[in-house]
Amino acid sequence: MTNRQSCTITILETSDLHGSMLPIQYANNAPTESGFAKIARLIERERSVNEHVLFIDNGDLIQGTPLAYHHAKKNDKAPNPMIACLNEMKCDAAVIGNHEFNYGLPFLHKAIQESSFPWLSANIVDAESGEPFFGRPYRMMELPEGVRVAILGLTTHYIPNWEKPEHIAGLRFEDAFESAKRWVADIREQERPDVMIVSYHGGFERDLATGEAIEPLTRENVGYALCADIEGIDVLLTGHQHRTIADCFIHGVAVLQPGSQGSFLGKMQLRLEKKEERWEIVQVESGLLSPVGMEPVEAITELVAPHEKLTQEWLDSPIGKLLGDMRITDAMQVRLKEHPLIEFINRVQMDLSGAPISNTALFDNVSPGFPSDITMRDIVSNYIYPNTLQVIRISGQDIKDALERSASYFETYDGGDVKVHPSFNEPKPQHYNYDMWEGIEYKLDISRPPSERVVFLQFQGKPLDRQAQYDVVMNNYRAAGGGNYTMFQGKPIVKDIPTDMAELLATYIMEKGTIEAELNSNWEVIW
């Protein structure tokens, strides 16, 4: 009888934490059952019962909550609290996510320097030398039994379509698939790992079960192709799409994705046996561990506490007063007929930029709107992204095409309730990709087929000239074509306002002292 050696490796994955270190909802400080402090308790538990545990963060760590915003904008000389938390939990590796660039390269470099773990990304390279910009494309680890584990980092290469150019100056984003193909082969040949893990801050472009395409061929996500068309990958850790994926294999590759904001901890266990001179994976199990009911790890809450105190004081700073009602009680109704909050944001954008036309979005379905006494908490609860503003020059046809893109947010109406089209809900909610406009008058008829829904479109009381050029203000994500608004890509930038929109809104309200809810009802959705 052959005496086989065996061992088990436990891989723990976080992804898209977006600064969610504590189990609170910053809009009202209500407790939540998510966040890294609770996830950390799960990590502790797994380490207490498993011998070989690898903890990998898959990116989008340092942006996303008021805590992260306040640190970046008001307290950036202090140690980064998100990095300190991962250091405390002995993270083994992290991957650069697209939102890591939101506050600029100096801020990101500082975070990396403070990290006790390596940041990996094989396909983000120096524009001149072509060498991996962040130094380490992969990490090799060897267990006491001699098992060799490779962790290769990849990042969605679509970042130049979203990020401000000055935040990524000197970088080149190589195709994630092509980079993976080259690096996996090189690592297999040179390092001879027993386990090849690819941690990819990106998601899936195809249905996991059928292989059918689920998004336009932008190559923002190439997870399915990584599994189907590259030999040598054993495990693919994913993120970016904020999905929950476990107990899943694509062309024999074990796949994991743990949601976002610390809602789950991804867990994958590999059992290996030594056969002759090689270790082989003989069994793979994966799942999503919920932090519901977990007590936060005190060491994490203590690390965050001084930063949190400053954040809370800043959030409760009074800004101004509101006459009228800008509260949101039904997000769908906001998207069907103009709401005072949307009109206000568009009006601020137009006032600050001088552009005659503006668009903006209601980013999610939990935005509360503004109360009568406005604080900074109200600003960041409604404008949750660190966007800046740009004025771009586009044609009337571009405006019409953009409205049709927005109109595709709705399923074709055939009676009953108005429904969101699945493409805006899956694989993750994309409510932020439905824009509402000011400075033009329009109607969208959602009983009509997609691309034929703009049934009324005027500018200053006359039909919009499809051939004419118009200056339109919008956030930098949209101006770069983000959200598949390809009609905006490459258009002349007439004006750039590099201040975060949350700060612009706060300053505008403070200068006014009192703002008023207004509504000109320049647009509506009909059926």
Side-chain angles (χ1 to χ4, degrees), residues 205-248:
E205 72 281 26
R206 296 184 177 276
D207 183 277
L208 302 185
T210 66
E212 294 182 10
I214 58 173
E215 66 179 26
L217 297 177
T218 60
R219 295 187 67 77
E220 174 184 345
N221 301 291
V222 294
Y224 196 94
L226 291 175
C227 296
D229 300 326
I230 296 179
E231 292 185 8
I233 300 175
D234 298 309
V235 172
L236 181 67
L237 306 180
T238 62
H240 185 54
Q241 292 175 319
H242 297 191
R243 298 172 69 177
T244 50
I245 302 170
D247 191 24
C248 176

Side-chain angles (χ1 to χ4, degrees), residues 177-318:
F177 176 86
E178 295 300 332
S179 290
K181 190 174 182 180
R182 181 175 70 255
W183 278 101
V184 168
D186 286 351
I187 293 168
R188 281 288 187 190
E189 180 180 350
Q190 296 175 19
E191 303 283 4
R192 299 187 63 80
D194 302 294
V195 178
M196 183 75 235
I197 300 170
V198 173
S199 189
Y200 167 49
H201 189 82
F204 295 96
E205 72 281 26
R206 296 184 177 276
D207 183 277
L208 302 185
T210 66
E212 294 182 10
I214 58 173
E215 66 179 26
L217 297 177
T218 60
R219 295 187 67 77
E220 174 184 345
N221 301 291
V222 294
Y224 196 94
L226 291 175
C227 296
D229 300 326
I230 296 179
E231 292 185 8
I233 300 175
D234 298 309
V235 172
L236 181 67
L237 306 180
T238 62
H240 185 54
Q241 292 175 319
H242 297 191
R243 298 172 69 177
T244 50
I245 302 170
D247 191 24
C248 176
F249 293 84
I250 301 175
H251 291 264
V253 179
V255 169
L256 193 62
Q257 190 172 148
S260 62
Q261 281 85 32
S263 54
F264 291 97
L265 176 67
K267 176 184 177 181
M268 185 178 294
Q269 286 195 305
L270 313 177
R271 191 168 70 84
L272 290 87
E273 290 184 354
K274 193 167 188 181
K275 300 180 179 180
E276 297 179 354
E277 296 303 313
R278 294 285 298 168
W279 288 93
E280 293 184 14
I281 300 171
V282 296
Q283 186 178 9
V284 181
E285 295 180 354
S286 67
L288 299 171
L289 307 182
S290 171
V292 173
M294 292 286 113
E295 285 296 318
V297 171
E298 289 183 8
I300 298 298
T301 57
E302 289 173 1
L303 278 171
V304 175
H307 304 272
E308 179 68 9
K309 181 177 183 294
L310 293 173
T311 301
Q312 291 293 343
E313 291 172 355
W314 171 71
L315 285 171
D316 289 327
S317 304

